[in-house]
């Protein structure tokens, strides 16, 4: 059976968005994912790698501009994003996961039309802001006992042009399409913080709207929260947690830690 089991049991897919500057290299995220995979859980990893992209863009003297936490993307910068995320970062993660005992396989949203989106309607260039996911390839890989590791690259539905997609947005689209039982957004902060800096244990759409207006939620947290709401609407338990904390993924699956996005 694909997606969640009727009783929300062990057959439900788990989407883990791996992010932050370390991408799991200095915490337990990768080993936690491998443990779940080896226990027979259906795990899909979606990774970012913005810090590595920014490093290579600096080396290649390609300028960077941000709008609402999304990287404005020209054809030149898109090529850097594809090379770094689908090449260097994805392959390195797959190698690390396999060394830990997984059967991981790397792919991007361009494979088998996994992630399709029109280009940004608000002048961000080659950015897919509203991706739809076709989960057929992921189901085939999961059925074969593999651990898919997805780079957040997409294609346009008409010409098939490559697009840069925010990794949180991609994870939300994939979690919605599978559908996933859990989606866990690993961050380098404790979760969503209120105006006073305290952790918000839960976040609904009304509070998100108010906090966005007041600037409490901004920048890179916006795509995370929006993706969490989207996945939650499809029935997933969506959490934003601090991936630097040991055991953050098992804690999130047990219903604790970070911010639950309703």
């Amino acid at each position: 059976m694909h997606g969640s089991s009727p009783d929300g049991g062990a057959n439900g897919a788990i989407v883990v968005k791996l992010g932050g500057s370390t991408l799991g290299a200095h915490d337990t995220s990768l080993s936690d994912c491998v443990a779940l995979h080896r226990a027979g859980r259906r795990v899909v990893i979606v990774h970012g790698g913005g810090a590595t992209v920014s490093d290579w863009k600096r080396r290649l003297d390609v300028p960077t501009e941000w709008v609402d936490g999304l990287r404005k993307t020209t054809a030149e910068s898109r090529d850097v994003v594809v090379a770094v995320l689908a090449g260097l970062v994805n392959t390195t993660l797959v190698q690390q996961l396999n060394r830990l005992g997984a059967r991981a396989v790397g792919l991007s949203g361009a494979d088998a039309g996994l992630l399709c989106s029109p280009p940004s309607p608000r002048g961000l260039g080659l950015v897919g802001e509203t991706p739809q996911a076709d989960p057929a390839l992921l189901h085939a890989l999961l059925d074969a006992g593999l651990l898919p590791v997805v780079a957040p690259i997409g294609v346009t539905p008409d010409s098939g042009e490559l697009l840069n997609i925010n990794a949180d947005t991609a994870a939300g689209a994939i979690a919605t399409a599978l559908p996933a039982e859990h989606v866990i957004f690993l961050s380098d902060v404790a979760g969503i913080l209120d105006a006073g800096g305290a952790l918000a244990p839960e976040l609904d759409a009304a509070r998100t709207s108010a906090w966005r207006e007041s600037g409490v939620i901004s920048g890179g947290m916006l795509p995370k929260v929006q993706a969490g709401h989207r996945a939650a609407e499809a029935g997933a338990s969506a959490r934003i947690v601090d991936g630097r904390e040991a055991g953050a993924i098992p804690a999130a699956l047990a219903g604790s830690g970070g911010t639950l996005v309703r």
Side-chain angles (χ1 to χ4, degrees):
M1 170 179 174
H2 295 325
S4 299
S5 56
D7 61 354
N11 293 327
I14 301 163
V15 174
V16 176
K17 188 273 173 164
L18 208 57
S21 54
T22 65
L23 276 172
H26 306 299
D27 51 54
T28 65
S29 309
L30 297 184
S31 54
D32 289 343
C33 287
V34 171
L36 288 166
H37 166 71
R38 288 172 64 91
R41 299 298 297 268
R42 295 167 72 84
V43 180
V44 176
I45 292 174
V46 181
H47 67 81
T52 312
V53 170
S54 295
D55 176 42
W56 277 95
K57 287 181 78 172
R58 275 193 300 273
R59 295 192 208 187
L60 299 168
D61 200 25
V62 177
T64 295
E65 188 181 340
W66 296 90
V67 179
D68 289 340
L70 301 176
R71 190 188 299 267
K72 200 168 179 178
T73 306
T74 62
E76 183 186 22
S77 62
R78 184 272 318 274
D79 291 350
V80 176
V81 168
V82 171
V84 172
L85 294 186
L88 179 63
V89 175
N90 188 273
T91 306
T92 301
L93 277 174
V94 167
Q95 174 258 339
Q96 290 171 334
L97 289 159
N98 286 336
R99 200 170 58 195
L100 289 167
R103 295 181 66 221
V105 59
L107 63 153
S108 82
D111 289 297
L114 171 57
L115 289 168
C116 265
S117 175
S120 166
R122 53 188 183 129
L124 294 180
L126 297 173
V127 173
E129 292 192 70
T130 53
Q132 300 294 319
D134 178 350
L137 175 59
L138 293 179
H139 283 310
L141 294 171
L142 292 168
D143 288 345
L146 298 169
L147 170 55
V149 183
V150 183
I153 307 300
V155 293
T156 58
D158 46 4
S159 63
E161 185 166 21
L162 291 170
L163 294 174
N164 175 22
I165 296 179
N166 175 275
D168 295 305
T169 307
I174 287 170
T176 299
L178 278 169
E181 182 183 350
H182 295 274
V183 57
I184 302 167
F185 299 90
L186 298 179
S187 183
D188 50 10
V189 293
I192 301 297
L193 307 180
D194 66 19
L199 178 66
E202 290 190 7
L203 189 66
D204 61 19
R207 183 178 284 182
T208 292
S209 182
W211 284 5
R212 182 174 180 173
E213 282 291 309
S214 63
V216 173
I217 298 175
S218 62
M221 269 301 168
L222 274 174
K224 272 187 181 54
V225 170
Q226 290 163 342
H229 284 309
R230 180 180 180 184
E233 283 170 12
S237 169
R239 270 185 192 275
I240 299 170
V241 302
D242 189 344
R244 301 168 304 177
E245 295 282 328
I249 292 173
L253 294 176
S256 67
T259 301
L260 178 68
V261 182
R262 291 206 174 277

